[in-house]
């Protein structure tokens, strides 16, 4: 049987993980000398509230190889013949894949593959959803490994930060650029796909940025989620635009996990999409 191990940045729900026998390995956030396991959505608000009021900037910490080995051992206690696929957040954002690879290589004679998804947050969630569907349809381990790049190349997330402060303080963007963007109320439209962050547009105002994000969506959509970081104030505007521009009236909202929130900032919104493949 094929089993999955993922890191907590995938933002999977407790219910989904339990139903599909997925093992989750936590990243951590450190703020004011307090350590938070990223965990599941029911624990995120505590961290976000502290992040809102603290004068300090949080940092994040990747799992250790032992964390992944513990997850692997839990699987082998249930099924000693399991074929295990470990999926991690993009290596360009975190070194989590390094710990996963060390863990995978620690088991001789076992079928374990550690894989850098080259994606992040909700795109990783969509990848898992596709993988589970293929597993349920009987795909072999080798064929699944062959299919992964095709799915990954069909994923992207576009997001607009509420301000540039978190991106600046996390070192994702230069101080001068961030300051000028905030002063002139320019909204950069970021895109993360294939392991790379790019700015696809710079426009005046959030509404225009979201319009451009919708125009840049794949022509043939298989799946689309509206994403936000803790504060969903601007989500209704996005839903309205999707209905007007694409005639999409039913769409799931996804609250993004804290590790992504640390680097992008509370109040950011975006669209995560999977194109037909």
């Amino acid at each position: 049987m094929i089993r999955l191990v993922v890191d907590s940045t995938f933002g999977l729900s407790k219910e989904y993980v339990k139903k599909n026998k997925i093992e989750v390995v936590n990243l951590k956030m450190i703020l004011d000398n307090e350590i938070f396991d990223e965990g599941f959505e029911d624990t995120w608000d505590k961290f976000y509230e502290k992040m809102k009021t603290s004068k300090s900037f949080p940092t994040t910490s990747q799992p250790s190889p032992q964390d992944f080995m513990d997850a692997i051992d839990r699987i082998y206690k249930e099924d000693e013949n399991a074929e295990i696929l470990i999926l991690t957040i993009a290596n360009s954002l975190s070194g989590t894949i390094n710990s996963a690879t060390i863990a995978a290589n620690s088991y001789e004679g076992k079928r374990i593959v550690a894989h850098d998804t080259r994606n992040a947050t909700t795109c990783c969630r969509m990848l898992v959803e596709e993988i589970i569907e293929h597993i349920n349809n009987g795909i072999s381990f080798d064929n699944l490994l062959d299919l992964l790049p095709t799915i990954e190349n069909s994923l992207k997330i576009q997001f607009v930060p509420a301000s540039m402060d978190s991106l600046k303080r996390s070192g994702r963007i230069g101080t001068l650029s961030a300051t000028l963007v905030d002063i002139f109320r320019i909204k950069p439209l970021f895109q993360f796909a294939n392991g790379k962050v790019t700015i696809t547009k710079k426009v005046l105002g959030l509404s225009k940025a979201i319009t451009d994000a919708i125009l840049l969506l794949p022509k043939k959509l298989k799946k689309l989620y509206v994403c936000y970081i803790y504060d969903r104030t601007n989500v209704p505007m996005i839903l309205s635009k999707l209905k007007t521009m694409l005639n999409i009236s039913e769409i799931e909202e996804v609250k993004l996990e804290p590790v992504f929130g640390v680097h992008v900032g509370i109040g950011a919104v975006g669209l995560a999409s999977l194109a037909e493949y």
Side-chain angles (χ1 to χ4, degrees):
M1 182 179 179
I2 301 173
R3 295 286 299 273
L4 300 183
V5 178
V6 305
D7 68 58
S8 57
T9 67
F10 286 48
L12 303 176
S13 70
K14 280 184 179 179
E15 295 75 18
Y16 188 85
V17 163
K18 183 178 180 180
K19 177 182 178 182
N20 294 287
K21 295 185 176 181
I22 299 170
E23 291 292 332
V24 178
V25 176
N26 277 314
L27 277 77
K28 300 179 186 297
M29 299 81 65
I30 303 97
L31 182 58
D32 294 333
N33 297 316
E34 186 174 356
I35 299 174
F36 298 80
D37 281 335
E38 186 166 43
F40 295 98
E41 186 176 343
D42 59 353
T43 68
W44 295 350
D45 286 1
K46 179 182 177 182
F47 173 77
Y48 277 129
E49 281 299 316
K50 190 174 184 67
M51 183 176 165
K52 279 176 63 177
T53 57
S54 176
K55 294 181 180 179
S56 303
F57 188 74
T59 58
T60 59
S61 175
Q62 69 192 47
S64 69
Q66 187 61 54
D67 292 329
F68 282 102
M69 292 173 71
D70 290 344
I72 292 168
D73 290 342
R74 288 193 293 270
I75 290 175
Y76 283 142
K77 282 184 179 180
E78 297 179 7
D79 180 3
E80 63 181 14
N81 297 313
E83 297 172 300
I84 299 175
L85 176 59
I86 307 174
L87 300 167
T88 71
I89 184 175
N91 187 44
S92 57
L93 299 178
S94 168
T96 299
I97 184 61
N98 298 324
S99 294
T101 300
I102 292 170
N105 291 339
S106 299
Y107 294 78
E108 292 185 8
K110 295 292 189 179
R111 198 84 193 278
I112 309 173
V113 173
H115 180 77
D116 170 13
T117 66
R118 298 179 297 120
N119 278 280
T121 190
T122 307
C123 287
C124 289
R125 167 184 162 172
M126 288 193 284
L127 174 63
V128 168
E129 290 169 349
E130 292 299 300
I131 288 171
I132 291 297
E133 184 176 331
H134 286 292
I135 290 174
N136 291 340
N137 288 333
I139 195 170
S140 69
F141 195 64
D142 288 330
N143 287 343
L144 177 59
L145 295 179
D146 290 340
L147 182 61
L148 283 178
T150 299
I151 305 174
E152 290 161 355
N153 290 336
S154 303
L155 291 162
K156 67 178 178 181
I157 183 168
Q158 301 173 86
F159 60 93
V160 185
S163 80
M164 303 301 290
D165 185 61
S166 290
L167 286 162
K168 177 180 65 179
R169 297 176 73 180
S170 67
R172 301 292 177 183
I173 193 169
T175 300
L176 179 59
S177 297
T179 302
L180 289 174
V181 165
D182 281 338
I183 289 174
F184 293 106
R185 297 184 181 178
I186 296 169
K187 286 295 184 184
L189 174 59
F190 289 88
Q191 177 174 287
F192 188 78
N194 298 315
K196 295 180 180 179
V197 178
T198 55
I199 297 178
T200 58
K201 294 273 188 176
K202 291 181 182 179
V203 299
L204 286 173
L206 177 62
S207 179
K208 174 64 169 128
I210 295 301
T211 296
D212 286 348
I214 293 172
L215 292 173
L216 290 170
L217 288 172
K219 299 301 180 185
K220 294 184 178 180
L221 273 171
K222 183 171 186 183
K223 191 173 291 186
L224 178 67
Y225 291 139
V226 173
C227 307
Y228 66 98
I229 297 179
Y230 191 55
D231 181 355
R232 69 175 298 279
T233 300
N234 291 306
V235 169
M237 178 269 289
I238 301 174
L239 296 174
S240 177
K241 282 184 176 289
L242 285 168
K243 185 173 183 179
T244 300
M245 296 174 66
L246 299 182
N247 197 30
I248 299 176
S249 56
E250 293 186 12
I251 185 166
E252 185 173 344
E253 301 175 24
V254 179
K255 182 193 291 185
L256 300 186
E257 69 290 339
V259 166
F260 195 75
V262 163
H263 297 291
V264 179
I266 290 172
V269 290
L271 297 168
S273 62
L274 171 66
E276 293 282 359
Y277 60 89

